[in-house]
Amino acid sequence: MLPFPDNSPSEPLHPIKKPKTPDLERKNSFNSIQPYLSLHNPRTWLILSAILLQILLLLAARSSPIAASHRRRHFPAASSPTPDNFNCRSGKVFVYDIPPLLNTELLQKCNELNPWVSRCDAFSNDGFGRKATGLAGIVPENLTNAWYWTDQFASEVIYHNRIMKYDCRTTEPESATAFYIPFYAGLAVGKFLWKNYSAKDRDRHCEMMLRWVQNQPYWKRSNGWDHFITMGRITWDFRRSKGDDEWGSSCIYMPGMKNITRLLIERNPWDYFDVGVPYPTGFHPSTNSDVATWQDFLSTRNRSTLYCFAGATRGFIKSDFRSLLLTQCYADSGSCRVVDCGGSRCSNGSSAILETFLDSDFCLQPRGDSFTRRSIFDCMVAGSIPVFFWKRTAYYQYDWFLPGEPESYSVFIDRKAVKNGTSIKGELEKIGREEVRKMREKVIEYIPNIIYAKHEEGLVGIRDAFEIAIDGVLRRIEEQGGG
């Protein structure tokens, strides 16, 4: 059992008022039992023997290996809810039955989603992708079935499948607090981002979705304030603002989108309606036991490497920062491990990446093609401490899912200092072993917040990333009163 965290303040907000007991009553009560406390009375010895026996049993229980192991092994679920959470106290969600052209038919034509390769395997198994292989000896044997090669752009498929079986989903729109639009915006635009497609091609599906949803009676009651959607790519793929030759669609800038809350793997920090949610990783546990077993495995892992970097250079970028990291890492080969992800070698994860993160105290997390990268969450799921060089990589992105004190779970090194010769190894070696241990514990504690569990069984008393996201949306909508 994973214990709930103690979120209560260390001291009461108001002094505890103790009941006043008259001295006379207290003296009389003592006098009434005084005859029984004589050492010559057999009852006195019986009472003392019972008390002594209880003390001995308590001491034995506290010192037993089983009790010590239990205290050592389990981490609290970082945002485990109180029992009231299970009563849908933030409200219920109605899921629109939108035209299949906007979601399921896109999946059925998975061979057409990418100009170069089929995407059918990537979005199979309710969005989790193919079962992971090659993990024998890397992860505990009883957890191999919890691992998949999940695509980083699969969140809209994962969220749709999860929300259809969500405990707080309602089929009665009159009782709904929020309305979910299961439009696969990322899949719809993905095939049109390359080659000779027009801006009209990239905008078509989003325009169709908005025309449909704006004709629904429950849209009109709030003009979209109580509606939300998952968009499975970064926000910038939907923010074409100028010429038709620019990257992406203009979906987010379309008038009907302005009030819709959007769940994205990378948000625009200055747009209230963008909410950053964790990239999908490959770990999808089915039970609380899966989570506890994985946390225990990480907490006792012997890590032989100080830091690591999994990635590739960006040759097309002038003064590529990743090249600097690779140069330092190769120079510190005794302290750093590199996984070269040139080409598509690390697409959707690999056993080499997982093993490297498992063996390293720290993992370097420069920005990706945009400010964020999926590797942040692969690193943390493996219990490695992320090292950031841009605050927008995580600190301004995932407020609902990560600790509020960045220094409790991560390291920040200014990229300008690295460019000016600061040694990453030197900075990391300044951190004492006890501090490293505390940071790793915090990372491991927060793993439930950044994973997507299998919806068939679900976790009990632990909220994963999906449930935190949906509850957060419901609370926002409830607070703003539907507009």
Side-chain angles (χ1 to χ4, degrees), residues 286-308:
S286 298
T287 65
N288 291 26
S289 177
D290 286 350
V291 177
T293 299
W294 183 246
Q295 289 177 314
D296 295 344
F297 172 71
L298 296 178
S299 67
T300 58
R301 178 83 177 184
N302 180 29
R303 297 173 188 262
S304 57
T305 303
L306 177 64
Y307 71 107
C308 68

Side-chain angles (χ1 to χ4, degrees), residues 76-135:
S79 55
S80 299
T82 62
D84 287 344
N85 282 99
F86 299 108
N87 297 327
C88 306
R89 68 178 183 182
S90 298
K92 296 185 177 182
V93 179
F94 178 81
V95 182
Y96 280 122
D97 185 17
I98 66 174
L101 177 66
L102 300 174
N103 50 31
T104 56
E105 285 188 13
L106 290 168
L107 274 185
Q108 290 167 6
K109 298 178 180 178
C110 51
N111 281 315
E112 301 174 9
L113 293 175
N114 185 295
W116 300 284
V117 297
S118 170
R119 304 287 281 151
C120 295
D121 282 346
F123 298 115
S124 61
N125 290 318
D126 292 339
F128 291 160
R130 293 182 297 112
K131 283 271 191 181
T133 56
L135 297 183

Side-chain angles (χ1 to χ4, degrees), residues 199 202 239-249:
R202 299 195 292 274
R239 290 181 177 271
R240 191 187 75 249
S241 60
K242 297 178 182 177
D244 287 353
D245 293 334
E246 282 193 346
W247 176 265
S249 81

